[in-house]
Amino acid sequence: MAESAPRLVEQVMASITRRIAARELASGAKLPSIRQLAASQGVSKSTVVEAYDRLAGDGAIQARPGSGFYVTGRTAPFALTEVGRRIDRAIDPLWIMRQALEGDGDQRPGCGWLPESWLPVDSIRKALRTAARGAGAGLVDYGTPLGFPPLRQQLERRLGERGIAAPPSQILLTESGSQAIDLVCRFLLAPGDTVLIDDPCYFNFLSVLQAHRVQAHGVPQTPDGPDLAVMEQLAARHRPKLYLTNASLQNPTGASLAPAQAFRLLKLAEEQDFLILEDDIFGDFAGEGTVRLAALDGLERVVYLGSFSKTLSASVRCGYIAAKPEWVEGLTDLKLATSFGNADLSARLVHQLLTDGSYRRHVEGLKTRLAGARSETARRLEAIGCSLWTEPRGGMFLWACLPDGIDSADLSRKILTEDIVLAPGNVFSISQSAGRYLRFNAAQSASPRIFEALARAMAD
Amino acid sequence: MAESAPRLVEQVMASITRRIAARELASGAKLPSIRQLAASQGVSKSTVVEAYDRLAGDGAIQARPGSGFYVTGRTAPFALTEVGRRIDRAIDPLWIMRQALEGDGDQRPGCGWLPESWLPVDSIRKALRTAARGAGAGLVDYGTPLGFPPLRQQLERRLGERGIAAPPSQILLTESGSQAIDLVCRFLLAPGDTVLIDDPCYFNFLSVLQAHRVQAHGVPQTPDGPDLAVMEQLAARHRPKLYLTNASLQNPTGASLAPAQAFRLLKLAEEQDFLILEDDIFGDFAGEGTVRLAALDGLERVVYLGSFSKTLSASVRCGYIAAKPEWVEGLTDLKLATSFGNADLSARLVHQLLTDGSYRRHVEGLKTRLAGARSETARRLEAIGCSLWTEPRGGMFLWACLPDGIDSADLSRKILTEDIVLAPGNVFSISQSAGRYLRFNAAQSASPRIFEALARAMAD
C-alpha cells in the first residue's frame, strides 16, 4: 500500500516543529485538533494523524487520552515505551488500548471485549438492587485478605468442573485479571529475569513484562499451541523463570492447546525448570474438551488465573488467582501491600450473578451467538480477500491474514480516520512478524460498513 | 512487662518442631488451632500464640488468613518479609493488617478505618439503586483510560478548594489509594533507589517500598512535621529520589505539617532535588487551615493522591492521583499495563455520592463525632496511665505512649487472646524506636472493655 502523501506529512511535521522551536507552542501546550489542523493547512485528516503520530514517535509531542496532543515537557522518569523493545511507537500496544477504550460511538472490530448488548445488563441491575438491600458491612468494609469467602467457594466448584482442584484457601481474589497477572509477576519475577511468551500474544503481556523490567522471548504460536521445539531451544539458552500464556482460545489467534501438546509442554517445563502462568480469562467461552495446564499439573508449577470481565462486566471488576498453598501467603502479602483489600462490592456482585442461576444460560447463549458471529465475520473477511490463520473453536477472536502487500499498521492508521479501530498484528508480536495480520472481534464486527471501508482502503 | 511463661512457650515450640521433623506434620499440613493446642497441652492460649508466632518467625510454619497455621513448604520466590529490613516478624505490618482485616466481631482499636455505623450506608444503598437504573454501558464497559470523566471534574473542584490546581486531564482515577501509591512508586522509582519516609509512618508504606525493592530511610516525625535538620542530612548522604508522606493528620501520629515547615520542606526538596508523594487520604477530616504541599508547589515536584475509602466506603473503592501534565501519560500507560481499566462502577457510585448533596453534611458530622471520640478516648487512655504524643487537630488516630516498662508488642500479643486487636508502635517505625507507643482509632475505641482489659494486662 502506498504511503499517503509523504511530502505533505513532512510539511505538517516541519510546521509544528518550527512552532515548538520558536516557543509559539511551549512545553505542555495543546496542539490544534486533527480536524482544525487539517482544515487550516488544507490537508487530509489522515495526513495530520500521521504527522502527529510521527512527532509523538520522535518524543516531540504526546497524546493525552480524551484530550488531544501536547508538546512534551521533561520526559517521564519511567516510560514503558523506553524500556526494553520499542514496538513501532506510532501503533504500539498502549496506542491500541487507548484507541479501543476511547473511541465512543466508533466501530471497534479491534477491541477485546463484547458489546454492551451482549452482556447481562438486566442481571447486573438486579444484583445492584440486591446489594442495596444487603448488610451494611458489605457496602463499606474492607474485605478479608483473600477476598469474599462465598465467591471463593463458588470458584472452587467452578474450577473443579475444569479439573482444577483448588480449595478456597488457595484462591485469592483480585481487582481484575490484569491485576492478577501483575501480582503473580511481582511474586515470581525479579528485574532481569527471562520470561517466555507466545508470539503473537495478548499485547498487554508485553507491557506488563516491561513494567517488571524482565526480558521476554517469543515462542511462535501454532494452531495447537506453542512451537515446543523452539521453546526447548529458548529455554535451554535463556533459562526462563516463567512462561506466560493463555489457557484456551489464545488471544489474538483463537488457538487452543491440544492435549498432547499440553502434556509435552509440562514435561518441558519440568525438565527446564520454569514456571507457567496460565491466564484463562476466556475460559468460560471454551468448549468441553478444553485442557488446562493447571489441571494436569495440579497447581504444582502452574499458577492459574481468571476473571469475569469478558462474560459479565468490565465495570464490575473481579479476577482471581489459584496457586499452590505455599505461594498463597506471599501473594496475599503482596496484594495487601499494593492494594490493601479488595473492591469487596464487586466480589459480592459477581457472587450474586453466579448464584442467581442465569449465568450458565447467559454463557451458553453467548457461545451460540459467538459461533454465528465468527462464521459471518469469517465469510465477510474472505469476501474481501482475507484468510483465517486458524478456525477457532470458541471465543470472539479471528486472526485474519491480509492479501499480499498490505501492511496492517498502515491500514489501521488509514481507517482510523473513518472512526474504525482495528487491531494490527504487530502490536501482538514481539518479533514484529505479524505485519500482515489483523485481530477481529466477531462480536464487534456486525456492521457491513467496516468491511466496505476495509475493501476501499485496501484497493487505495 | 514480664515474658509470660517462656519455658512453656519453648515446650510448645519444641513439640511442634519434633512433629514436623518426624513428618507427623508434613509440609503443607494444618496445625491444631490455638484453642485445641492450648487445651491438649494444658497451657494458656497466649502461650500457644507466642509459640506459633515464633515458629512463624523462624519460617517453620506460616499463618494462612482465615484458615490457621500450616507447616511451611518450599519457600516463596518473593517474600516481602525477606526483602530489605525485617521488622519483628511476630508482629510485623502484614500481621497487623491481617489481624485487623480478619477479626470479625473483635474489638479493633488498632484498625485504620471507621466502623460501619459511622459510614453513609443509606446513601450507598441509594447510589446502588440509582446505578441499577442508569445506562447499561456504565455497568459493563471498561472505563476510559484516565477514569470516569464526571468524577474527575468533581475532583478538580474539590482539589481547587484545597488550593490545588489540577484540571481533569491531570487527574487519574485508580482502584484505591493503595493502588495510587503503588502506581506512582512504579513510575518514579527503580530498584535500588532511596526513599525518605516518616518515622513513624503508615506501616504499609514500608511494605510497598519493599515490594519496589528500594531503600527506605526514616525521618523522625515531630508534631509539626518531619525533622528537617535530620532530613537534610539524610538527603545529602543518600540522595533520595522521593519523600513519601501523609499530607495531613499523619498516620499514625495525627500530626499535621505546619505551614512554615511545609515551605522549608519544599525548599529542601528543591535544593536536594527529590520528589514528594503526598498521600492525603485523611484530607477530608482535616480542618480549614490545613496546608498541602501540592498546593504550595503547584504539582511541580509533588504528586498528590487521595481516596474515599476512609469517609465513604472501603468496599466501593476509588482513589485518584493528581500530577503534572508530563507525568500523566506515563502513569496512565502503567495503569493500563497493570490493571487495564478501572472499576468504573465504583467511580460512578462515588460520583453519585459526591453529587447527591449529603457528602458534605456527612463529613461535617464525622468531624464533630470524631472530635468527641478523640476526647473520650484520650481521657480513658490517661486514666490507665498512658499519655498522648500530640493532640491531633482532626481524624481518628491518637498516638499513645505507654507507662514506663511496658512493651506495646508484648501487650498487643497478650491482649489478642481477649479478641482485642491493637496496633503496636513498632509496626509503624522503620527504626523500631516506637516500642512504647500504640496507635488508637478513637472511632473504634468506644467499648470500656478495651481499657479494662488494657489496665489488667499492664498490671499483670
Side-chain angles (χ1 to χ4, degrees):
Chain A
M1 196 174 59
E3 192 77 22
S4 71
R7 204 175 46 79
L8 286 176
V9 171
E10 271 159 34
Q11 277 176 14
V12 174
M13 287 175 71
S15 83
I16 298 290
T17 307
R18 266 196 309 274
R19 288 171 68 187
I20 293 173
R23 306 283 163 123
E24 275 174 52
L25 287 167
S27 167
K30 187 174 178 176
L31 293 169
S33 76
I34 288 164
R35 276 166 230 266
Q36 278 168 358
L37 195 64
S40 71
Q41 304 246 335
V43 297
S44 72
K45 283 192 289 178
S46 69
T47 300
V48 177
V49 168
E50 194 169 338
Y52 277 12
D53 272 350
R54 283 167 60 182
L55 285 167
D58 297 337
I61 67 172
Q62 57 183 189
R64 225 176 281 160
S67 172
F69 285 84
Y70 288 77
V71 179
T72 314
R74 192 176 138 192
T75 37
F78 180 73
L80 275 177
T81 46
E82 283 167 11
V83 177
R85 177 181 293 271
R86 200 182 144 103
I87 304 159
D88 183 10
R89 178 60 196 167
I91 299 204
D92 71 5
L94 296 157
W95 180 90
I96 195 77
M97 285 160 84
R98 287 172 173 221
Q99 293 299 335
L101 288 173
E102 282 172 15
D104 209 19
D106 295 350
Q107 295 292 334
R108 295 183 284 186
C111 89
W113 51 89
L114 296 178
E116 177 195 334
S117 58
W118 290 52
L119 293 170
V121 175
D122 286 338
S123 298
I124 296 170
R125 293 188 200 284
K126 192 175 145 200
L128 284 167
R129 290 193 299 268
T130 306
R133 290 191 301 270
L139 303 179
V140 296
D141 280 1
Y142 287 94
T144 54
L146 287 178
F148 190 53
L151 179 57
R152 289 186 289 114
Q153 282 157 17
Q154 271 272 349
L155 285 169
E156 177 188 25
R157 285 193 293 276
R158 299 184 66 79
L159 297 190
E161 291 170 12
R162 294 177 185 174
I164 301 164
S169 62
Q170 282 177 248
I171 298 172
L172 175 68
L173 301 188
T174 63
E175 311 273 5
S176 63
S178 300
Q179 199 212 16
I181 295 171
D182 186 41
L183 201 55
V184 175
C185 285
R186 221 165 194 164
F187 179 66
L188 296 177
L189 302 176
D193 279 348
T194 293
V195 175
L196 300 181
I197 51 173
D198 298 313
D199 184 7
C201 72
Y202 173 41
F203 50 74
N204 209 21
F205 286 176
L206 304 173
S207 306
V208 79
L209 293 176
Q210 284 180 5
H212 286 277
R213 300 165 198 266
V214 298
Q215 285 294 321
H217 293 277
V219 182
Q221 181 73 353
T222 79
D224 292 329
D227 182 326
L228 293 179
V230 176
M231 184 181 259
E232 185 162 12
Q233 286 167 15
L234 287 172
R237 197 180 318 143
H238 299 289
R239 317 297 313 157
K241 188 83 81 67
L242 183 72
Y243 168 50
L244 168 55
T245 189
N246 284 128
S248 49
L249 303 174
Q250 201 252 357
N251 183 359
T253 62
S256 288
L257 194 63
Q261 290 278 101
F263 178 70
R264 286 179 51 211
L265 170 55
L266 282 172
K267 275 209 311 189
L268 181 60
E270 205 173 298
E271 284 159 21
Q272 300 285 344
D273 196 24
F274 59 84
L275 305 169
I276 298 173
L277 175 51
E278 186 176 37
D279 171 359
D280 199 21
I281 57 161
F282 300 102
D284 278 350
F285 296 127
E288 280 305 303
T290 306
V291 60
R292 267 87 180 185
L293 295 167
L296 296 181
D297 163 77
L299 289 176
E300 192 46 48
R301 64 175 60 242
V302 176
V303 177
Y304 180 85
L305 70 91
S307 92
F308 296 94
S309 300
K310 302 302 176 188
T311 50
L312 278 180
S313 164
S315 181
V316 183
R317 303 196 81 196
C318 183
Y320 59 88
I321 297 167
K324 67 202 287 186
E326 301 92 297
W327 289 352
V328 172
E329 178 89 347
L331 285 166
T332 307
D333 280 355
L334 269 177
K335 180 177 107 160
L336 291 179
T338 57
S339 71
F340 209 97
N342 265 111
D344 209 43
L345 175 66
S346 297
R348 285 163 190 267
L349 290 170
V350 167
H351 176 251
Q352 174 67 27
L353 287 160
L354 292 184
T355 43
D356 88 346
S358 63
Y359 184 72
R360 270 174 214 277
R361 281 196 309 280
H362 163 65
V363 168
E364 288 311 310
L366 281 183
K367 283 185 186 169
T368 309
R369 198 169 169 187
L370 278 170
R374 284 197 309 276
S375 302
E376 177 63 19
T377 305
R379 200 186 53 71
R380 286 171 168 177
L381 283 167
E382 280 155 15
I384 60 167
C386 297
S387 56
L388 292 193
W389 180 77
T390 189
E391 196 174 322
R393 291 187 294 154
M396 59 185 97
F397 297 132
L398 296 172
W399 188 234
C401 186
L402 292 168
D404 215 21
I406 309 245
D407 178 80
S408 63
D410 287 343
L411 186 64
S412 300
R413 246 191 300 262
K414 202 165 165 188
I415 211 158
L416 190 62
T417 58
E418 301 202 38
D419 298 327
I420 295 173
V421 181
L422 296 177
N426 275 341
V427 308
F428 303 94
S429 172
I430 191 168
S431 66
Q432 297 288 284
S433 59
R436 275 187 65 192
Y437 289 85
L438 285 171
R439 185 191 73 183
F440 273 83
N441 178 341
Q444 300 273 9
S445 301
S447 165
R449 185 167 85 75
I450 296 167
F451 300 90
E452 290 157 19
L454 276 172
R456 267 199 315 277
M458 290 196 292
D460 200 8
Chain B
M1 194 172 61
E3 192 77 25
S4 70
R7 207 178 41 83
L8 286 176
V9 171
E10 273 157 32
Q11 278 178 12
V12 174
M13 287 174 71
S15 83
I16 297 292
T17 308
R18 267 197 308 274
R19 288 171 67 187
I20 293 174
R23 307 283 163 121
E24 275 175 54
L25 287 167
S27 167
K30 187 174 179 175
L31 292 169
S33 77
I34 289 164
R35 276 165 228 267
Q36 280 169 357
L37 194 64
S40 71
Q41 304 248 335
V43 297
S44 73
K45 282 192 287 177
S46 68
T47 300
V48 178
V49 167
E50 195 170 338
Y52 277 12
D53 272 349
R54 284 167 60 181
L55 285 167
D58 296 340
I61 66 171
Q62 58 183 187
R64 223 175 283 160
S67 172
F69 285 85
Y70 290 77
V71 180
T72 314
R74 189 176 139 193
T75 37
F78 179 74
L80 275 177
T81 45
E82 284 168 11
V83 177
R85 176 181 294 273
R86 199 180 144 105
I87 303 159
D88 183 10
R89 177 61 197 166
I91 300 208
D92 71 4
L94 296 157
W95 180 89
I96 194 77
M97 285 160 83
R98 288 169 175 223
Q99 293 300 335
L101 289 174
E102 281 172 16
D104 210 18
D106 295 350
Q107 294 293 334
R108 294 183 284 186
C111 89
W113 51 88
L114 297 178
E116 177 195 337
S117 59
W118 291 53
L119 292 171
V121 175
D122 287 337
S123 298
I124 296 170
R125 293 187 199 283
K126 194 175 143 195
L128 285 167
R129 290 192 300 266
T130 305
R133 289 190 303 269
L139 302 179
V140 295
D141 280 2
Y142 285 95
T144 55
L146 287 178
F148 190 52
L151 179 57
R152 290 187 289 114
Q153 281 157 18
Q154 272 272 349
L155 285 168
E156 177 187 25
R157 286 193 292 278
R158 299 183 66 80
L159 297 189
E161 291 170 12
R162 294 176 183 175
I164 301 165
S169 61
Q170 281 176 251
I171 299 172
L172 175 68
L173 300 187
T174 63
E175 312 272 6
S176 64
S178 300
Q179 198 213 16
I181 295 171
D182 185 43
L183 201 54
V184 174
C185 285
R186 217 165 198 167
F187 180 64
L188 295 176
L189 302 176
D193 278 348
T194 293
V195 174
L196 299 181
I197 50 173
D198 298 313
D199 184 6
C201 72
Y202 172 41
F203 49 74
N204 208 20
F205 287 176
L206 304 172
S207 305
V208 78
L209 292 176
Q210 284 179 4
H212 286 276
R213 302 164 198 263
V214 298
Q215 283 295 319
H217 293 277
V219 182
Q221 181 74 351
T222 80
D224 292 328
D227 183 326
L228 294 179
V230 176
M231 185 181 261
E232 185 163 12
Q233 287 166 15
L234 287 172
R237 198 180 317 142
H238 299 290
R239 316 297 315 158
K241 188 83 81 67
L242 181 73
Y243 168 49
L244 168 56
T245 189
N246 284 130
S248 50
L249 304 175
Q250 202 252 357
N251 183 359
T253 63
S256 288
L257 193 62
Q261 289 280 99
F263 178 71
R264 285 178 53 211
L265 169 56
L266 282 173
K267 275 208 312 191
L268 181 60
E270 205 174 299
E271 284 159 22
Q272 300 284 348
D273 196 25
F274 59 84
L275 305 169
I276 298 173
L277 176 51
E278 187 177 37
D279 172 0
D280 199 20
I281 56 160
F282 300 103
D284 279 352
F285 295 126
E288 280 302 307
T290 307
V291 61
R292 268 87 180 186
L293 295 167
L296 296 180
D297 163 79
L299 291 176
E300 191 47 47
R301 66 174 61 242
V302 176
V303 177
Y304 180 86
L305 70 91
S307 90
F308 297 93
S309 300
K310 302 302 174 186
T311 51
L312 278 179
S313 164
S315 181
V316 183
R317 304 200 79 198
C318 182
Y320 59 88
I321 297 167
K324 66 201 291 184
E326 301 90 299
W327 289 352
V328 173
E329 177 90 349
L331 285 165
T332 307
D333 280 355
L334 269 176
K335 180 177 105 160
L336 292 179
T338 57
S339 72
F340 208 97
N342 266 109
D344 209 43
L345 174 67
S346 296
R348 285 165 191 267
L349 290 171
V350 167
H351 175 252
Q352 174 67 27
L353 287 159
L354 293 183
T355 44
D356 89 346
S358 63
Y359 184 71
R360 271 174 214 278
R361 281 197 309 280
H362 163 64
V363 168
E364 286 311 310
L366 282 184
K367 283 184 187 172
T368 310
R369 197 168 171 188
L370 279 170
R374 285 197 309 275
S375 302
E376 177 63 19
T377 305
R379 199 186 53 70
R380 288 172 168 175
L381 283 167
E382 279 155 15
I384 59 167
C386 298
S387 57
L388 292 193
W389 180 77
T390 188
E391 195 175 319
R393 294 187 292 153
M396 59 185 96
F397 297 131
L398 296 172
W399 189 234
C401 186
L402 292 167
D404 216 22
I406 310 244
D407 178 80
S408 62
D410 287 342
L411 186 63
S412 301
R413 247 190 299 263
K414 200 165 167 188
I415 211 159
L416 190 62
T417 57
E418 301 203 40
D419 297 327
I420 296 173
V421 181
L422 296 178
N426 275 341
V427 306
F428 303 94
S429 172
I430 189 165
S431 66
Q432 297 289 284
S433 58
R436 277 188 62 193
Y437 290 86
L438 285 171
R439 186 191 70 181
F440 273 83
N441 178 343
Q444 301 271 10
S445 301
S447 164
R449 184 167 86 75
I450 296 166
F451 300 90
E452 289 157 20
L454 276 172
R456 267 198 314 277
M458 291 195 294
D460 200 6

